Amino acid sequence: MTTRFYFKDIKESDKQFLEKYFNDKKMGRLKKLLLHGNFELAKFDVNAKYHPRHDIFIVGVGLSFADKNLRSEEKGHTLMEAFDLAFDRAINQLRKSESKLRENRAMI
């Protein structure tokens, strides 16, 4: 899986923490859910930015595999809160997508 992080106005320590957090804790969830060799071909993008005027972080998560593109974006008062919300929403979309694929295969 190809993973890319894009940051805007984020402290270096937060950048490193988010990348380590994803690799240590969240990568396994994606590996379990991406079936049929999709894990090796998948692309995962994280866009994180800080808006000082509103004191809020906005994190967008994108997951592309096979012919599917899943996107989610969330806001939070901390970088980790926004990332977890966006990641969980993408996981829910992935679960729905995989369950539809299983149902279609069962009908055949």
Side-chain angles (χ1 to χ4, degrees), residues 3 5 18-28:
T3 306
F5 291 87
L18 183 64
E19 290 176 8
K20 184 174 177 4
Y21 176 72
F22 172 74
N23 288 325
D24 293 347
K25 306 230 175 177
K26 301 297 183 176
M27 183 77 80

Side-chain angles (χ1 to χ4, degrees), residues 44-57:
F44 187 78
D45 296 323
V46 177
N47 295 313
K49 54 187 166 184
Y50 176 68
H51 285 278
R53 182 176 177 191
H54 299 289
D55 192 29
I56 199 162
F57 291 91

Side-chain angles (χ1 to χ4, degrees), residues 83-100:
F83 175 74
D84 281 338
L85 290 171
F87 185 80
D88 289 342
R89 183 168 284 183
I91 290 292
N92 287 338
Q93 291 176 13
L94 179 59
R95 283 190 181 131
K96 287 179 186 177
S97 171
E98 290 292 329
S99 68
K100 285 181 183 178

Side-chain angles (χ1 to χ4, degrees), residues 6-81:
Y6 302 97
F7 298 103
K8 183 177 179 186
D9 300 329
I10 306 284
K11 291 187 271 182
E12 190 62 36
S13 60
D14 289 340
K15 292 177 188 179
Q16 293 173 356
F17 182 77
L18 183 64
E19 290 176 8
K20 184 174 177 4
Y21 176 72
F22 172 74
N23 288 325
D24 293 347
K25 306 230 175 177
K26 301 297 183 176
M27 183 77 80
R29 284 179 71 185
L30 283 175
K31 203 179 276 192
K32 285 182 197 176
L33 292 172
L34 285 171
L35 304 174
H36 314 297
N38 286 331
F39 182 76
E40 290 81 21
L41 302 173
K43 295 177 185 172
F44 187 78
D45 296 323
V46 177
N47 295 313
K49 54 187 166 184
Y50 176 68
H51 285 278
R53 182 176 177 191
H54 299 289
D55 192 29
I56 199 162
F57 291 91
I58 298 175
V59 176
V61 171
L63 178 62
S64 302
F65 63 97
D67 59 346
K68 303 211 183 300
N69 292 316
L70 307 176
R71 299 247 174 251
S72 65
E73 183 176 285
E74 291 293 332
K75 299 174 185 172
H77 292 288
T78 66
L79 181 61
M80 297 310 299
E81 175 189 9

